[in-house]
Amino acid sequence: MSSTANQVFFMIGCQRSGSNWLRTMLSEREDLIAPHPPHIMRDFMPRLEKYDDLSKQTNLKILIDHVCAFVENNQVPWLDLHSRPMKFKRDAILMEVMISIEIFEFNDKYTSMQNGKEIKKAVENPYYLLAVFDAIMNTMTKANGKKVGLIWMCKSVSLWTLFLQFKSRPNDLTYLSVDKFE
């Protein structure tokens, strides 16, 4: 869901595999942020149907508010560059999500036209959630004064099911780093 300027890494790691250590080491880079995972996708994917049609801005605003509050109250606080707890501006998150969805729809239309048929289909709710996740991570990246590249990484075992759901559309998950599974 991120624009071409952003690089996104999803790291899928098993417990006791060293993935959390790797996440904290990588987060020390000046061009990458990798906060403690808030498990947005794991906790919100099963509940998405309760938000109804996320193409309706009223429903999307409720989802954004719930996700932002969820992250702001994360068991491991997310802090900005000055060690202050993160507070998300819901309207800014909404604007970034809407831009991501527009880009997604354009890419879908362009791809279908390349294949000789123009197909207009509705964006599915999981892509809205992924766009919200992307906007929150981008906000965290900016708040921590990371270099302009806006590189963020999320590490979570639960991302494996997300990867399986989205793998049929390889351009949606640009980068995936998988550590050992035994």
Side-chain angles (χ1 to χ4, degrees), residues 48 51-67 90 93-99 101 125 127-129 131-132:
L48 271 183
Y51 293 94
D52 201 22
D53 181 2
L54 291 175
S55 67
K56 295 179 180 165
Q57 204 170 80
T58 306
N59 297 341
L60 182 57
K61 283 181 176 181
I62 293 168
L63 174 67
I64 289 170
D65 183 56
H66 289 179
V67 172
R90 274 57 169 175
I93 299 291
L94 175 64
M95 185 64 67
E96 191 168 335
V97 168
M98 297 307 293
I99 291 168
I101 294 300
N125 277 358
Y127 290 95
Y128 282 92
L129 181 58
V132 172

Side-chain angles (χ1 to χ4, degrees), residues 26-157:
L26 288 171
S27 197
E28 293 298 315
R29 292 176 47 117
E30 59 186 38
D31 63 346
L32 185 130
I33 190 89
H36 186 274
H39 304 294
I40 292 168
M41 301 307 286
R42 178 196 72 194
D43 291 349
F44 281 87
M45 284 287 279
R47 296 170 180 81
L48 271 183
E49 64 197 31
K50 295 180 192 266
Y51 293 94
D52 201 22
D53 181 2
L54 291 175
S55 67
K56 295 179 180 165
Q57 204 170 80
T58 306
N59 297 341
L60 182 57
K61 283 181 176 181
I62 293 168
L63 174 67
I64 289 170
D65 183 56
H66 289 179
V67 172
C68 288
F70 183 75
V71 176
E72 290 166 348
N73 295 298
N74 191 17
Q75 65 182 359
V76 178
W78 281 19
L79 305 174
D80 68 11
L81 183 62
H82 307 290
S83 298
R84 295 178 298 221
M86 287 293 299
K87 294 290 179 200
F88 296 98
K89 295 178 181 170
R90 274 57 169 175
D91 289 338
I93 299 291
L94 175 64
M95 185 64 67
E96 191 168 335
V97 168
M98 297 307 293
I99 291 168
S100 291
I101 294 300
E102 287 292 323
I103 291 169
F104 179 78
E105 288 175 332
F106 175 81
N107 288 340
D108 250 13
K109 184 175 182 178
Y110 179 77
T111 302
S112 67
M113 287 172 61
Q114 288 274 3
N115 295 332
K117 51 189 163 208
E118 187 174 337
I119 301 169
K120 174 86 169 127
K121 57 183 175 185
V123 176
E124 299 159 7
N125 277 358
Y127 290 95
Y128 282 92
L129 181 58
L130 193 58
V132 172
F133 185 34
D134 186 47
I136 285 174
M137 292 296 284
N138 289 339
T139 302
M140 177 66 170
T141 302
K142 293 173 197 169
N144 278 279
K146 298 294 182 168
K147 284 188 176 177
V148 180
L150 292 179
I151 303 172
W152 61 262
M153 184 185 85
C154 182
K155 174 255 172 216
S156 176
V157 174

Side-chain angles (χ1 to χ4, degrees), residues 12-20 155-157 179-181:
I12 302 170
C14 295
Q15 294 175 335
R16 313 301 314 156
S17 67
S19 57
N20 205 41
K155 174 255 172 216
S156 176
V157 174
D179 59 7
K180 63 182 178 182
F181 280 84

